[in-house]
Amino acid sequence: MKKKTKIFSTELFFNALRDSFLKLNPAALVKNPVMLIVEVCAVITTIILLSGISGGYYSGFNMQLAVWLWFTVLFSNFAEAVAEGRGKAHADALKKARKNVNARKISGGTVTNINAGELRKNDFVICEAGDIIPADGEITEGIASVDESAITGESAPVIRESGGDRSAVTGGTKVLSDRIIIRIVSEPGFTFMDKIISLIEGAKRQKTPNEIALTILLAGLTIIFLLAVSTLPFYYKYSMVSSGLNPDNNISIPVLVALLVCLIPTTIGGLLSAIGISGMDRMIKRNVIAVSGRAIEAAGDLSVLLLDKTGTITMGNRMASGIIPLSVVEPFTLAYASLLSSLSDDTPEGRSVIKFVKENYRIKTADIHTGNASYVKFSAETRMSGINLYPESGSAKLIRKGSLDAIERFVESAGGSVPEETYTIVKEVASEGCTPLVVAENKTVLGVIRLKDIVKGGIKERFAHLRKMGIKTIMITGDNPLTAAAISAEAGVDDFISEAKPEDKLLCIRSEQAKGHLVGMIGDGTNDAPALAQADVGIAMNTGTQAAREAGNMVDLDSNPTKLIEVVEVGKQLLMTRGALTTFSIANDVAKYFAILPAMFYSLYSINGNAGPLGTLNIMNLGSPQSAILSAVIFNAVIIVLLIPLALKGVKYKPAGASEILKTNLLVYGAGGLIAPFIGIKLIDLLINFLKIA
Amino acid sequence: MEPRDFLQPAALLFLIAVFTPILGRYLFGVFEGSLKMPKIFSDIERKLFHYCGINPGIGMNWRKYLFSLLVFNFAGIVFLYVIQLVQGWLPLNPQGFGAVNHDLAFNTAVSFVTNTNWQAYAGETTLSYAVQMAGLTVQNFLSAATGIAVILALARGITSRLSDNLGNFWTDVVRSVLYVLLPGSVIISILLLSQGVIQNFSPYLNVTTLQGMPQTIPMGPAASQIAIKMLGTNGGGFFNSNSAHPFENPTPLSNFIEMFCILIIPAALTYTYGLKVGSRKEGWVIFGVMMFLLVAGFSVSLHSELSFNPALNSTVLLEGKEMRFGIVNSVLFSTITTGVSCGAVNAMHSSLSPLAGMVAMINIMLGEIIFGGVGSGLYGMLIFVIITVFIAGLMVGRTPEYLGKKIEALEIKMAVVAILIQSAAILILTAAASVLNPGLSSVLNPGPHGFSEILYAFSSAAGNNGSAFAGLNANTPFYNILTGLVMLVGRYGVIIPVMVIAGNLAGKNISPSGAGTFMTNNFIFAVLLTGVILIVGALTFFPALCLGPIAEHILMKQGILF
């Protein structure tokens, strides 16, 4: 998928060419009222041309008009077909990757070989090195390195393991090492890969809210012009009678049709769907799969972004980097207690504590004696983990490790109190930007474990970039306020929420939304799922859990949280391209009026066969009435083709304030839209008259 | 053209700018209920509500608000229609006028209720004092109050958050009349009386002129109607020749006062709106755009009036204008009265030079938003603001927002309907009238000028302006019924979509503004708004204008007149 697709490859070009004719089917054009009208106009002109020919009268002018009207529709279809074609190329590449594979299904302790297509939800399969994972699932047992290049294009393998936030595997990816047991989570035909393919193919593409509103505006403009043009023959008849002309020689229908097609917003109307499809395509190029176009558009509107600290702002996991005992406690006592309390903690932090203690205090696995013990697993709710030891003699030892406030509650409920020294150490650790974990045994605090957080390189610049776009970043973390403040200052986020419980993410999103903000959320864990679903734009990391991927409306295949910047840019580009082309299209009409109206009206109120008064409106000094009308129609058709690259690539976006962006676009597309057609029409007119084809 | 000619227009516009914040703040206090009124007025207000069974505190959603408005206006039309038919039996009818024709009565009833004041009749030869006072003058107050009510509802819709309360229609109407229009009219009537505007119930005078010819001079209670005709941007004159008549507009000072009255409430409402939405700059930007369009139109008109006219071999076109006021004041009046949806005239618009006539027409065709009618000008302008915000919002890469409210499909649909419906009425009916016999037979002048007469008539009706390009005989069943219908479409075809927008916006949350938010209170937005207004208007009507005033102008330069 990383493979670059050129805007025009030969194959793409011919496919698009074929499709642009297939799309002439009025049933397909109904969704695009502007182009439907152009097609109706082309049909009318063709009928008039043919009935003229059958009556022995051939009009070269009508002939050329009909041809150019058909071209206008074809050019628009071509733009759409090219945009779709690029998506199809991606989808085909994916389909090739989805070979028919065998699955080894475990049922009742026996393993049977079946076709992957027969797998159902909640089946269990076993995969070993070299196997293609048959369907989306969750690892229930084992750890493996997986090659996900089929969907991400990234060749470096990733680690997938049971438990925690890295348990999801995607059908079609390849196990490189080890052996895992997978619980299947999707029905055939509804896998992640199937979803991606159907999204890319545009099969399920629905119009976005802004696109709907714009279509209404364009339809409204079309009706206004339809009225302005269809009432014209009546006014003209009055004027002919007043000028003493024969009222039977009213403006011919092909000329009226030409005026109508030139006035209605064909430029934007013709490119509208291509813009939308290419937006989706540009997301895919950046390895982001959006569930809907609506989500991409919403991304452009984000004003608040909520980021989970861990794995987003800081490098993956915090590592234990030291233990600090209280002055009355032996370092080894604390080290051993830390180790015991982490045995049941299978979070990366927990494992890092074990590793740290083992390495620094030379404790071997064999030295660990737990005897009669029960484990207290880490839960996000209590934010503690630990162990309860019941030695044969003496009272039970309850060892806990957790955040200061959690341990405070634990110690106090046991009837003890936290010594003042603990607070000093915690504060010191936190102010270094590290996370302090307090260890306690029964009602006695033993000391503090220091977990080091490493802020990702270059992230500060990325947040500054977001700020320029008008997006406020909020870091959300379970850390205490001091740590959170230190890290947020280092990372350059605008605000942070510390000591947050999982449900705080949801509450924070709701409260920002109530203030009228559009909130984006990046997350990967299962406990992020509600927040991802609540956020206006929820971006799930592909490495995250299945629940997170289901809840979000975008999945980042690269699992790179700062990808949001690109997502926002694509969203904004999408809207800007539509706005810019609408402005351009409307501004174009001024010049077209000055081309066509004098050509229509030149004979009115004329004296002695000279050009009438309204001939003076021919400020471009176009050669003849016929060439003037043709030039306008040709310009109108050709401009669609010329703007296809812009529609596919999008208007350039630089992060800047709204007024600045507006000024630039207004100058380029507004003023440009006023002037360009005057030059274009004049040039075409010169060419037509030079070739003497009008 | 001498430098002192600029003095009056400059003084007028300066005074408007000075009084806008003063009156604007007063209006804000009145409608927010934050201003304490003298006891006598608040007693009247309370009793009125009591007797009518209205609880002023109860808010309405858009449907209820709109329903009350439509019922109220419909009752007004019926009452006005009936009172014209029975005027022969009513008192205060010294000339003994009989029942008015059905089609004319319908036209006039609709005309005054819709704040159009298109007059297919001549006041002094058709209507009794009783009908003028109890019928027309009352509707002058109520139609203006209706306009104010709609803009208040829209402003509340824009500013409220997740609610459906647009205020109480009856409260808004009563307060507009009691605290704004009535006291204003009393002051203005007294000022006008001091200038010689008449106010009596006498029968018409029969006098012998200096040349020894007999002449009938109409009398009547003019001053009381003229004040509200201006202040409420109604424009329906007591006498046929409107503010060109010496009993309606005797002196240059009364002329100045009348122009001031046309502009002041629509102008002040922009400031009130700014206060309501919490940023006076928002109001001033709209005021600025309106003022720019007014001054631009006036400049074009004046330039055209004072240019050399080869057909007449003269630079001064005085036919159809009052010597009391001269060219500058006539053109200033024509620009203001068409921009503001007033429709009072102090010169015959048919006698304006072709381009000045075109400016008058364009002012109306743009939808009466250059200050526009009381209330209606501002809500019409906000329709354009919504369209502009939508296009501009897309261009800055965000879902378009206006004052924190998202502009989505429904708002765009309604805004398009509001703009489309007026344009459609003008274009279609002008087309019908320019080829059908009953339409053509009323046209006085040949050629492009005649076409302008038809175009102007339907523009004036659809825009609820009410002025006429004199020359068209409008009192025929064809024009009475068609213009009557067009006035209804032009008024309610905008009010209904505006109320839908108000209701829909009220239910939305307000997004806080940030760096990426597109601002509507700066110069660049003003430029863009002006551009959208002119381009939409120009694109719709350019072909028609070519065949009317533009053709006439070019021919005039070639020495040909119509």
Side-chain angles (χ1 to χ4, degrees):
Chain A
M1 293 232 328
K2 276 271 165 74
K3 210 175 41 178
K4 280 213 167 156
T5 323
K6 276 191 248 153
I7 288 187
F8 296 114
S9 75
T10 329
E11 192 194 342
L12 210 58
F13 179 81
F14 284 108
N15 283 341
L17 213 56
R18 186 198 62 215
D19 285 349
S20 26
F21 281 93
L22 295 179
K23 283 170 185 286
L24 285 176
N25 179 1
L29 272 179
V30 153
K31 278 179 287 179
N32 188 343
V34 177
M35 292 324 288
L36 186 66
I37 290 211
V38 180
E39 185 170 41
V40 169
C41 288
V43 169
I44 292 173
T45 315
T46 310
I47 291 172
I48 290 174
L49 174 76
L50 293 179
S51 73
I53 291 174
S54 69
Y57 165 75
Y58 167 74
S59 158
F61 174 74
N62 287 356
M63 172 71 188
Q64 293 189 58
L65 211 52
V67 167
W68 282 105
L69 292 182
W70 282 115
F71 272 148
T72 311
V73 189
L74 286 173
F75 289 162
S76 154
N77 287 348
F78 181 71
E80 192 182 85
V82 168
E84 284 175 349
R86 298 167 88 202
K88 277 203 188 102
H90 285 305
D92 289 345
L94 284 179
K95 275 183 191 160
K96 272 181 209 153
R98 193 179 52 170
K99 291 168 209 135
N100 225 358
V101 292
N102 278 330
R104 280 182 289 163
K105 183 179 161 190
I106 314 172
S107 45
T110 57
V111 175
T112 44
N113 261 330
I114 60 164
N115 194 303
E118 294 165 28
L119 285 172
R120 290 289 179 275
K121 213 170 168 175
N122 293 327
D123 285 349
F124 285 86
V125 295
I126 187 164
C127 284
E128 285 175 339
D131 286 351
I132 303 272
I133 295 174
D136 295 356
E138 200 172 25
I139 303 180
T140 53
E141 227 183 288
I143 177 167
S145 63
V146 179
D147 173 8
E148 296 197 333
S149 59
I151 51 168
T152 63
E154 191 58 59
S155 52
V158 292
I159 301 294
R160 292 282 181 256
E161 58 188 318
S162 63
D165 290 345
R166 308 276 177 274
S167 62
V169 286
T170 309
T173 57
K174 192 176 178 186
V175 178
L176 290 180
S177 70
D178 302 289
R179 174 176 179 276
I180 44 176
I181 293 175
I182 301 164
R183 185 175 63 86
I184 302 300
V185 294
S186 61
E187 297 288 344
F190 293 94
T191 64
F192 189 57
M193 192 78 100
D194 290 320
K195 264 187 222 162
I196 296 180
I197 291 170
S198 80
L199 281 168
I200 297 175
E201 280 183 327
K204 271 168 61 182
R205 212 184 84 81
Q206 287 171 332
K207 278 189 179 167
T208 61
N210 278 317
E211 213 176 340
I212 293 170
L214 183 57
T215 308
I216 292 173
L217 180 68
L218 296 181
L221 284 172
T222 306
I223 296 173
I224 288 182
F225 290 128
L226 200 56
L227 283 169
V229 172
S230 59
T231 50
L232 204 50
F234 298 94
Y235 307 160
Y236 194 76
K237 187 179 170 206
Y238 170 96
S239 305
M240 290 182 91
V241 173
S242 293
S243 342
L245 297 170
N246 178 3
D248 293 338
N249 296 330
N250 211 315
I251 311 170
S252 76
I253 288 178
V255 171
L256 284 175
V257 155
L259 178 62
L260 177 66
V261 170
C262 284
L263 292 178
I264 61 178
T266 47
T267 316
I268 177 68
L271 295 172
L272 193 56
S273 89
I275 295 170
I277 297 170
S278 72
M280 199 76 113
D281 192 53
R282 263 176 285 150
M283 296 290 263
I284 289 160
K285 270 199 171 156
R286 288 167 171 80
N287 264 355
V288 176
I289 305 293
V291 175
S292 66
R294 186 186 280 255
I296 305 177
E297 248 185 37
D301 289 348
L302 288 183
S303 49
V304 170
L305 176 63
L306 209 63
L307 303 118
D308 200 39
K309 184 199 76 178
T310 314
T312 308
I313 295 172
T314 56
M315 294 291 272
N317 307 315
R318 292 173 297 190
M319 308 292 275
S321 69
I323 55 173
I324 307 151
L326 297 189
S327 47
V328 296
V329 178
E330 281 295 312
F332 186 81
T333 313
L334 172 62
Y336 192 62
S338 306
L339 186 144
L340 287 178
S341 69
S342 302
L343 285 177
S344 68
D345 181 359
D346 61 358
T347 62
E349 287 88 352
R351 274 182 254 135
S352 84
V353 171
I354 297 176
K355 191 166 162 243
F356 179 82
V357 172
K358 278 183 179 171
E359 278 171 9
N360 290 281
Y361 293 85
R362 298 169 192 239
I363 300 172
K364 296 202 179 85
T365 314
D367 301 335
I368 305 169
H369 305 288
T370 53
N372 190 11
S374 67
Y375 294 107
V376 179
K377 283 225 166 205
F378 176 83
S379 86
E381 201 53 49
T382 61
R383 287 157 60 222
M384 284 194 302
S385 64
I387 188 167
N388 298 340
L389 295 172
Y390 304 103
E392 275 142 31
S393 62
S395 58
K397 280 207 256 178
L398 310 180
I399 301 173
R400 293 290 183 277
K401 134 181 146 273
S403 66
L404 178 62
D405 57 328
I407 294 295
E408 236 173 8
R409 276 200 303 275
F410 172 74
V411 170
E412 276 161 17
S413 71
S417 67
V418 178
E420 204 51 44
E421 196 191 351
T422 317
Y423 293 102
T424 325
I425 299 173
V426 162
K427 210 167 182 179
E428 202 173 297
V429 169
S431 59
E432 292 164 17
C434 295
T435 309
L437 283 182
V438 183
V439 182
E441 183 181 323
N442 294 342
K443 53 184 183 176
T444 322
V445 174
L446 298 175
V448 176
I449 304 172
R450 181 170 62 203
L451 293 178
K452 196 166 168 48
D453 245 331
I454 302 159
V455 173
K456 287 184 174 174
I459 200 145
K460 200 163 185 170
E461 291 73 42
R462 302 290 265 176
F463 287 141
H465 201 93
L466 282 171
R467 196 168 307 118
K468 264 195 198 160
M469 289 173 158
I471 298 172
K472 181 175 135 187
T473 45
I474 301 178
M475 180 180 86
I476 191 155
T477 168
D479 294 343
N480 66 60
L482 269 173
T483 314
I487 293 173
S488 71
E490 195 183 338
V493 291
D494 296 316
D495 203 354
F496 64 86
I497 296 172
S498 55
E499 292 179 341
K501 290 194 272 310
E503 62 264 30
D504 288 346
K505 291 178 189 171
L506 192 62
L507 290 178
C508 172
I509 292 178
R510 287 209 176 123
S511 85
E512 291 293 338
Q513 282 173 335
K515 284 185 229 157
H517 287 292
L518 241 76
V519 184
M521 160 85 194
I522 298 181
D524 55 358
T526 299
N527 64 33
D528 289 335
L532 284 171
Q534 175 70 33
D536 300 286
V537 178
I539 305 183
M541 301 290 104
N542 190 44
T543 53
T545 59
Q546 192 64 30
R549 295 202 312 197
E550 291 280 327
N553 43 20
M554 285 188 203
V555 176
D556 178 10
L557 299 176
D558 295 343
S559 303
N560 171 9
T562 56
K563 188 66 79 56
L564 186 89
I565 292 175
E566 272 112 338
V567 174
V568 171
E569 276 183 1
V570 171
K572 284 189 181 293
Q573 270 188 325
L574 211 58
L575 297 188
M576 280 164 58
T577 311
R578 291 197 197 116
L581 288 182
T582 305
T583 311
F584 185 83
S585 200
I586 298 172
N588 269 205
D589 283 359
V590 175
K592 292 173 190 162
Y593 261 141
F594 279 101
I596 297 185
L597 288 186
M600 274 182 173
F601 295 156
Y602 76 103
S603 63
L604 289 176
Y605 304 109
S606 72
I607 302 154
N608 310 328
N610 295 326
L614 292 170
T616 43
L617 293 178
N618 181 8
I619 52 177
M620 282 178 270
N621 201 14
L622 302 178
S624 70
Q626 284 80 12
S627 76
I629 293 169
L630 265 182
S631 311
V633 173
I634 293 174
F635 176 84
N636 196 49
V638 169
I639 198 74
I640 295 181
V641 176
L642 294 182
L643 290 174
I644 289 178
L646 181 74
L648 296 187
K649 276 195 237 150
V651 169
K652 219 160 117 194
Y653 173 75
K654 269 189 268 167
S659 296
E660 215 162 302
I661 297 175
L662 182 63
K663 248 181 246 170
T664 317
N665 285 338
L666 210 51
L667 207 65
V668 175
Y669 300 98
L674 274 178
I675 299 163
F678 278 104
I679 300 168
I681 291 173
K682 178 68 189 172
L683 288 179
I684 295 171
D685 181 75
L686 286 175
L687 189 69
I688 288 178
N689 283 298
F690 176 73
L691 299 173
K692 297 197 179 357
I693 51 177
Chain B
M1 187 82 194
E2 292 168 42
R4 65 159 188 255
D5 284 338
F6 287 111
L7 213 59
Q8 267 203 51
L12 179 71
L13 300 181
F14 175 74
L15 277 183
I16 290 295
V18 168
F19 276 90
T20 289
I22 298 171
L23 182 60
R25 188 167 295 129
Y26 171 77
L27 292 175
F28 182 70
V30 166
F31 296 122
E32 288 290 290
S34 57
L35 206 66
K36 195 151 167 40
M37 290 298 161
K39 192 170 176 315
I40 173 159
F41 285 107
S42 49
D43 279 350
I44 296 175
E45 186 187 338
R46 218 182 36 251
K47 285 202 179 112
L48 213 60
F49 287 141
H50 179 73
Y51 290 129
C52 300
I54 295 164
N55 183 344
I58 290 183
M60 297 175 168
N61 63 22
W62 75 265
R63 285 170 212 277
K64 274 194 196 145
Y65 200 100
L66 178 64
F67 181 72
S68 310
L69 182 151
L70 293 177
V71 167
F72 184 60
N73 281 199
F74 181 72
I77 293 175
V78 172
F79 175 76
L80 209 47
Y81 177 72
V82 171
I83 199 178
Q84 290 179 78
L85 297 186
V86 299
Q87 77 166 343
W89 305 329
L90 296 175
L92 288 179
N93 187 1
Q95 299 308 115
F97 294 130
V100 179
N101 278 340
H102 282 275
D103 54 305
L104 180 59
F106 162 74
N107 184 284
T108 306
V110 168
S111 166
F112 276 74
V113 172
T114 56
N115 200 272
T116 312
N117 296 30
W118 169 264
Q119 294 170 293
Y121 64 93
E124 59 269 45
T125 58
T126 318
L127 296 179
S128 72
Y129 299 157
V131 171
Q132 294 247 30
M133 291 185 85
L136 304 186
T137 306
V138 168
Q139 285 306 326
N140 278 352
F141 280 97
L142 298 184
S143 63
T146 301
I148 291 178
V150 174
I151 186 60
L152 290 176
L154 180 58
R156 289 182 194 124
I158 290 170
T159 52
S160 63
R161 188 191 283 257
L162 304 174
S163 124
D164 66 349
N165 183 356
L166 295 180
N168 186 303
F169 174 73
W170 307 110
T171 314
D172 292 337
V173 167
V174 168
R175 292 208 172 134
S176 309
V177 173
L178 201 59
Y179 299 134
V180 183
L181 299 172
L182 214 48
S185 299
V186 169
I187 297 169
I188 300 302
S189 323
I190 293 170
L191 285 176
L192 290 176
L193 283 171
S194 77
Q195 294 303 303
V197 177
I198 60 169
Q199 178 81 4
N200 59 46
F201 293 118
S202 319
Y204 296 177
L205 295 181
N206 287 308
V207 297
T208 308
T209 61
L210 291 176
Q211 286 101 334
M213 302 294 285
Q215 188 185 357
T216 306
I217 299 180
M219 293 279 112
S224 58
Q225 185 170 332
I226 306 310
I228 186 62
K229 151 192 149 190
M230 297 302 173
L231 217 44
T233 65
N234 298 285
F238 193 85
F239 304 110
N240 188 33
S241 48
N242 211 306
S243 282
H245 195 290
F247 284 168
E248 281 202 27
N249 188 9
T251 67
L253 183 58
S254 70
N255 192 56
F256 189 87
I257 294 170
E258 290 187 4
M259 288 192 289
F260 178 83
C261 290
I262 298 176
L263 281 167
I264 190 59
I265 295 182
L269 277 172
T270 63
Y271 190 86
T272 313
Y273 177 74
L275 288 177
K276 176 72 185 167
V277 301
S279 159
R280 275 170 292 179
K281 262 177 111 182
E282 296 285 345
W284 281 122
V285 162
I286 292 175
F287 178 93
V289 170
M290 291 171 163
M291 188 55 102
F292 169 78
L293 290 171
L294 184 74
V295 172
F298 174 61
S299 309
V300 171
S301 300
L302 195 61
H303 175 78
S304 157
E305 281 293 320
L306 298 176
S307 299
F308 179 70
N309 180 345
L312 296 174
N313 200 16
S314 156
T315 52
V316 185
L317 306 166
L318 269 176
E319 182 268 331
K321 287 162 194 136
E322 278 297 307
M323 292 307 287
R324 294 202 295 291
F325 310 127
I327 300 263
V328 175
N329 266 325
S330 300
V331 176
L332 183 59
F333 202 110
S334 77
T335 315
I336 292 173
T337 197
T338 48
V340 181
S341 179
C342 179
V345 294
N346 77 347
M348 296 302 109
H349 288 186
S350 184
S351 302
L352 295 171
S353 65
L355 288 190
M358 180 172 83
V359 167
M361 248 185 267
I362 291 176
N363 281 350
I364 300 171
M365 286 166 170
L366 293 180
E368 293 295 6
I369 50 164
I370 304 175
F371 293 105
V374 170
S376 64
L378 188 51
Y379 65 69
M381 181 58 106
L382 289 177
I383 291 288
F384 276 103
V385 167
I386 285 175
I387 298 280
T388 308
V389 160
F390 182 74
I391 296 174
L394 286 182
M395 269 200 287
V396 302
R398 277 179 71 126
T399 295
E401 276 167 17
Y402 178 53
L403 298 171
K405 297 271 184 172
K406 289 219 174 326
I407 302 300
E408 291 165 303
L410 184 69
E411 287 81 17
I412 291 299
K413 193 187 284 178
M414 289 301 133
V416 165
V417 166
I419 292 178
L420 192 64
I421 210 155
Q422 281 190 338
S423 307
I426 297 171
L427 289 172
I428 294 174
L429 290 172
T430 304
S434 56
V435 291
L436 297 176
N437 243 350
L440 289 170
S441 59
S442 287
V443 175
L444 187 68
N445 299 77
H449 195 83
F451 182 71
S452 296
E453 289 172 5
I454 301 174
L455 185 59
Y456 194 104
F458 287 108
S459 302
S460 176
N464 296 137
N465 181 281
S467 64
F469 222 47
L472 186 78
N473 172 21
N475 188 11
T476 65
F478 178 83
Y479 279 100
N480 277 338
I481 291 169
L482 279 187
T483 52
L485 292 175
V486 170
M487 285 186 270
L488 287 173
V489 168
R491 179 77 163 176
Y492 303 104
V494 179
I495 285 182
I496 294 171
V498 164
M499 290 303 301
V500 175
I501 290 176
N504 201 49
L505 286 181
K508 293 187 181 185
N509 203 345
I510 297 177
S511 322
S513 69
T517 312
F518 167 67
M519 303 305 281
T520 49
N521 60 3
N522 52 22
F523 181 72
I524 185 151
F525 179 74
V527 172
L528 194 60
L529 178 59
T530 312
V532 167
I533 292 168
L534 289 179
I535 286 200
V536 169
L539 291 181
T540 314
F541 295 107
F542 190 61
L545 291 172
C546 276
L547 296 176
I550 294 177
E552 190 186 357
H553 172 77
I554 299 169
L555 287 167
M556 184 185 83
K557 289 287 175 196
Q558 296 171 353
I560 301 163
L561 289 183
F562 292 91

